[in-house]
Amino acid sequence: MSLSFVLPDRLSAAEPPEARGTPRDGVRLLVARPGRPVRHRRFRDLPSALAPGDLLVVNTSSTAPAAVDGTRSDGRPVTVHVSGPVPGVPDRWVVELRTPARERVHDGRSGEVVTLPGGAHAVLVAAHPDPAAVRSRLWRAVLDTGATALTRWLERVGRPITYSYLRDTPGIDDFRTVVARPGREFPSAEMPSAARPLTRDVLARLAARGVGVAEVVLHTGVSSVEAGETPLPERYRVPARTADAVNTARAAGRRVVAVGTTVTRALETVAADDGSVRAGSGWTGLVLGPDRPARTVDGLVTGWHEPQASHLLLLEAVAGPETVAAAYAAALAEGYLWHEFGDSCLLLA
């Protein structure tokens, strides 16, 4: 990892910006590109930071209230985070166990039954992603919610996944973006948060400036990747109309700007060596970094990632290490806020 820094606790956004008296599109936006000084704007200024003909690509995955309180076999309370389905294994779900204090649980065991609200149960089957592992924070599980579909059951008994830097637990609507669309699939376990500051007003002004907007779907799992872990496979879909829009923009010499690492991962999964893309769907295990730079995406709207996060390599794969380092140095110096309710950054290659 080429970028290392210390994140002061005071820079963790502890609540949604609306609770701080700031509208969604009022969060700060740092604009960074090679060879130019960084600029400090507000997210509502995003249209003016882009050029007519540029294409902005958003992730329309919604967010599930994927955290549920339960009781372990020995009576200890536990919180179950439902990450999503196990790739290629029917009727198995990836879950993460946390204590009520939001600390990771590593002593789950195969066959353990967790009692959940409404007579539901989670039965731990095997560790994930390595079923042979003896200790794990992630498990493959059978989720028995009776006659109620999992997504409907979660809407009734679940809450958003949160971490210790948040002061309270905001409502699920605070974790859903304006571009989110419910679908038949299990949605994201955690919000694709780069699009959170988008508002209908910003979208209208993007259109008025001649900036196109296209859509992909990538359903995120739990984001609590530990040091040394690579991002897990995730479900994605790039529609034909989006592939056409990307290829048209590139042919015209315009920029393709992804809103979030999720969009970047989806587009780069279907990218050819020359940067053209095709429609596609399925599971992606793509990890961008020094050995696999971005081919299609040459701009990225993103939040701020923690030190040593694997996402930092993805940012560098799009904008280059020097630009990312300059952006992070400026954000730390100017007191930008981190995490899903924090401030934003526009990185341009």
Side-chain angles (χ1 to χ4, degrees):
M1 180 70 66
S2 61
L3 181 61
S4 180
F5 58 94
V6 176
L7 179 64
D9 289 342
R10 63 182 176 82
L11 296 186
S12 292
E15 57 197 353
E18 297 93 319
R20 306 191 296 267
T22 301
R24 283 196 180 211
D25 59 9
V27 298
R28 301 172 75 185
L29 175 70
L30 186 149
V31 182
R33 60 188 306 177
R36 298 188 185 183
V38 301
R39 291 182 292 163
H40 303 284
R41 314 286 288 275
R42 293 287 171 178
F43 196 91
R44 65 175 67 94
D45 301 320
L46 176 65
S48 64
L50 301 175
D54 286 347
L55 180 69
L56 195 74
V57 187
V58 300
N59 183 3
T60 62
S61 178
S62 189
T63 309
V68 184
D69 291 329
T71 305
R72 300 184 65 181
S73 298
D74 59 8
R76 284 182 291 171
V78 69
T79 298
V80 176
H81 291 172
V82 182
S83 183
V86 176
V89 184
D91 302 320
R92 295 291 186 272
W93 297 85
V94 178
V95 300
E96 180 187 43
L97 304 184
R98 292 259 174 170
T99 69
R102 302 174 182 173
E103 297 173 344
R104 296 182 179 95
V105 172
H106 290 276
D107 65 346
R109 63 186 185 278
S110 180
E112 180 175 358
V113 178
V114 178
T115 302
L116 299 170
H121 297 86
V123 182
L124 306 186
V125 176
H128 185 81
D130 179 9
V134 177
R135 292 174 61 83
S136 179
R137 68 183 183 88
L138 295 175
W139 285 86
R140 299 178 181 185
V142 174
L143 293 176
D144 178 10
T145 57
T148 306
L150 176 61
T151 50
R152 291 201 302 272
W153 176 77
L154 286 173
E155 290 287 345
R156 189 173 73 242
V157 305
R159 64 178 184 278
I161 291 175
T162 59
Y163 297 103
S164 58
Y165 52 79
L166 287 180
R167 186 172 294 120
D168 298 306
T169 300
I172 188 61
D173 287 342
D174 286 318
F175 290 85
R176 288 173 174 163
T177 68
V178 72
V179 295
R181 295 181 181 174
R184 296 180 180 179
E185 303 168 312
F186 187 82
S188 290
E190 299 189 32
M191 174 175 53
S193 57
R196 190 184 192 277
L198 278 174
T199 59
R200 300 200 182 281
D201 179 63
V202 171
L203 290 170
R205 288 192 288 114
L206 285 166
R209 186 162 172 78
V211 176
V213 176
E215 301 175 352
V216 301
V217 176
L218 187 138
H219 299 305
T220 69
V222 293
S223 66
S224 52
V225 178
E226 294 187 332
E229 292 181 343
T230 57
L232 295 173
E234 294 172 314
R235 296 161 292 148
Y236 78 95
R237 183 170 64 255
V238 177
R241 61 183 177 276
T242 295
D244 291 343
V246 168
N247 292 333
T248 298
R250 287 180 54 81
R254 308 314 305 173
R255 293 177 297 203
V256 176
V257 180
V259 180
T261 58
T262 60
V263 173
T264 305
R265 195 182 200 192
L267 289 177
E268 292 294 333
T269 294
V270 296
D273 290 343
D274 64 358
S276 63
V277 300
R278 67 186 189 282
S281 62
W283 289 86
T284 176
L286 177 66
V287 178
L288 294 176
D291 297 328
R292 172 53 166 91
R295 299 168 179 169
T296 298
V297 173
D298 42 29
L300 176 63
V301 176
T302 180
W304 300 96
H305 301 283
E306 292 186 276
Q308 305 303 316
S310 61
H311 286 316
L312 293 173
L313 287 177
L314 184 150
L315 305 187
E316 293 177 356
V318 173
E322 295 81 7
T323 301
V324 174
Y328 271 73
L332 289 166
E334 296 295 327
Y336 277 64
L337 296 180
W338 256 247
H339 304 304
E340 65 267 43
F341 296 128
D343 294 312
S344 296
C345 179
L346 170 62
L347 296 167
L348 297 171

